[in-house]
Amino acid sequence: MVLLVVLVLMLATAGMLRSSAPRQALGRPALPSPATTGPVIDLSGPTLRSGHGDGSSVGLALVGLPSSRTTVGIAQELAAHGATATWFVDGRDVLRHPEAFSAVTSVGDEVGVTGFGGTDLRGLSPWRARFDLSVAQASLAARGRVTSPLLLLPTASRRADLDVHALRAARIAAGRGYVLVAGTTAGDAAPGDVAVIDARDPGAAGEVQRFLDTKRTAGVPVRAVGTVVGLTRDEVNRHAGAATVVNATVIVAAVAASELVADSLPILFVGVTALVALRALLALGFALFHRVRRQTVRGAWTGPVSVIVPAYNEAVGIEATVRSLASSEWPHGLEIVVVDDGSTDGTADLVDALELPGVVVVRQVNSGKPSAINAGVAAAAHDIVVLVDGDTVFQPDTVARLVAPLADDRVGATSGNAKVANRSTLLGRWQHIEYVMGFNLDRRLLDVVHAIPTVPGAVGAFRRETLDAVGGVSDDTIAEDTDLTIAISRAGWRVVYVPGAIAWTEAPSSVGDLWRQRYRWCYGTLQAAWKHRRALVERRSIGLVGVPYALLFQVVVALVAPIVDVAALYSLATGNLGIVTAWAAFTALQTAMAAYAFALDGESLRPLWAVPLQQLFYRQLMYLVVIQSVASAAVGARLRWHKLHRLGVSLERVPAD
């Protein structure tokens, strides 16, 4: 979270220093005729004051720092003519061309400022103008240990160009001790004037040489601006004390870092969007293949099944869950074992009161979900067990579809298709889109390569033999479903995804509950990946594809994906519509991907209007959750279970678009 804030602040800094001020239409002339106006204009008082120079010499103002070679050549030409000049530089050139800046100051020339980066100060607000000039002064202090009160507006450097807008900007600067320099063209400069030459022009060196030759022939000395107007070099280039230099160095370092981030942003944007686009193409392609491929499982399981329901304080929804399980269309024997894990809200009593055939209640002191599942498996009478959360409702054919692949003794577990039941609110609709577009597309892809890392606790079936072989459900992590699934795959069994085995689950209905749930999921995934890190070298699909895929797209991409949105906002603020257009195309791709996923799952397309909003708001929340989870894991923080607030799910309420 802190890093994201820092990133935004750095981009805001770079944006302020790079964004161009709106060009102002020329206003009425602000000064008397050039003949009656001197080269230095003092705006520090209530009235405008200006004056001529000493009348015996011409001042030379060189604007900008060209290449080091050109700068050194001009400086040598000045020295050969016994002349000096004032170089008016912007802060960015000082930072980018330190050799050129050193060449200027080492031969006795003065320096003044034009701002930072050549921005048109005429169109800036007062605080933006002051910020721009402050950074420019910091550049001088950090690189040359000097500051300067001389200001030459880059877009109004000559007296003839000065208008009311230019003087308004200059008056803002005057409040910080600046004196405005306004000159004339080199050919029109008379004694007492300041000639302005743009040193960045390709022919600047030749123009300077011709100007110097002309003035030497006329017997007119060429001096720095300060000398012409009666200021000593120490007054023009004030020595910066140690405290000022340290402060300036910090500012310059921050500016350099901000500009580096801003320069890197387009590259990172392209990289992240390419990665996300690649994932989308892979997911869509594999999902299509998953749908049309010929299933390789052998037959369908037709033996008895035990359903395990671990429950802790599930009074709100446990009756609907058990009733839906008891209504399953399964003629081969169905046992339902509800394990009450020390509930204090009468969960077990509610199940007993239903008096449904085949339903068994096991009570134990509160020991956690893994312990409750293991107790249920131990109490179960059959070799195939289905695990169901206490807030989940099954459709009548879900059990049959879910256990069918377990007829193949190569299959150790199957994952069903969990769907969001409470999707009528915007938050629920966003989670509905995420479940269909993200989780289920990923499972289709990973099923094809035999690398599913998570059988969701809401709907999964297991072979008892498989559970025994991996030591049951472990409490080493808070993502026991991911931990268990990876262990099963590492032990050599296949994990199969059955999209037709639908279970309706209640998604968090508040932002706080959603945050806690996803925080637990992400943190638990990191724990499981660390616990099973040796899977990466075991040459099984789960280690080669499943775990890396989960870490890459659930963690790494989520950590860097905010760059996409930050880049779009930065580009919008700075007028770069290319990245904004790319962001819009990225959102369109996400919407198309969602539409395809919804079609595969047989879902109505009506909720897809919420996809753009999901990209703007919901996705940012998920990014922050991942950032917090990774930070917690990095410092070794312990995360405890959080019981989410439930409203209850019933078959009458789903689906509800």
Side-chain angles (χ1 to χ4, degrees), residues 79-160:
H81 283 77
T84 55
T86 301
W87 294 74
F88 286 89
V89 297
D90 64 60
R92 181 175 284 118
D93 280 348
V94 172
L95 300 179
R96 291 182 175 178
H97 307 295
E99 300 86 359
F101 184 67
S102 297
V104 166
T105 56
S106 63
V107 297
D109 288 344
E110 299 172 350
V111 291
V113 296
T114 59
F116 188 92
T119 303
D120 188 350
L121 298 179
R122 296 183 305 163
L124 294 181
S125 61
W127 74 271
R128 280 281 310 279
R130 288 191 290 267
F131 177 78
D132 194 85
L133 291 170
S134 294
V135 179
Q137 289 294 341
S139 302
L140 294 184
R143 291 291 184 266
R145 294 181 176 271
V146 295
T147 60
S148 176
L150 297 183
L151 170 66
L152 186 145
L153 296 178
T155 53
S157 59
R158 298 175 179 86
R159 290 196 302 266

Side-chain angles (χ1 to χ4, degrees), residues 642-654:
H642 296 281
K643 180 64 180 176
L644 304 182
H645 176 67
R646 298 297 188 187
L647 300 176
V649 178
S650 66
L651 283 175
E652 289 74 20
R653 295 177 54 197
V654 296

Side-chain angles (χ1 to χ4, degrees), residues 396-488:
D397 63 347
T398 298
V399 170
R401 290 177 179 271
L402 188 62
V403 301
L406 292 169
D408 187 340
D409 57 11
R410 297 172 299 173
V411 178
T414 63
S415 167
N417 187 350
K419 290 180 175 289
V420 173
N422 52 325
R423 59 179 75 169
S424 59
T425 65
L426 184 58
L427 186 62
R429 196 176 299 267
W430 282 339
Q431 292 176 83
H432 168 46
I433 294 170
E434 180 185 27
Y435 271 58
V436 175
M437 182 177 73
F439 301 158
N440 290 325
L441 272 185
D442 282 344
R443 286 197 182 97
R444 291 175 188 270
L445 183 159
L446 295 169
D447 186 21
V448 172
V449 296
H450 309 311
I452 294 177
T454 305
V455 172
V459 52
F462 301 84
R463 192 182 302 278
R464 181 195 289 270
E465 174 191 0
T466 303
L467 294 176
D468 291 340
V470 299
V473 182
S474 171
D475 61 359
D476 291 342
T477 76
I478 58 172
E480 78 290 332
D481 48 3
T482 300
D483 185 0
L484 175 63
T485 307
I486 296 175
I488 289 172

Side-chain angles (χ1 to χ4, degrees), residues 624-647:
L624 295 177
V625 169
V626 173
I627 291 170
Q628 184 185 13
S629 301
V630 172
S632 298
V635 300
R638 297 286 297 175
L639 183 64
R640 62 183 180 87
W641 273 88
H642 296 281
K643 180 64 180 176
L644 304 182
H645 176 67
R646 298 297 188 187
L647 300 176

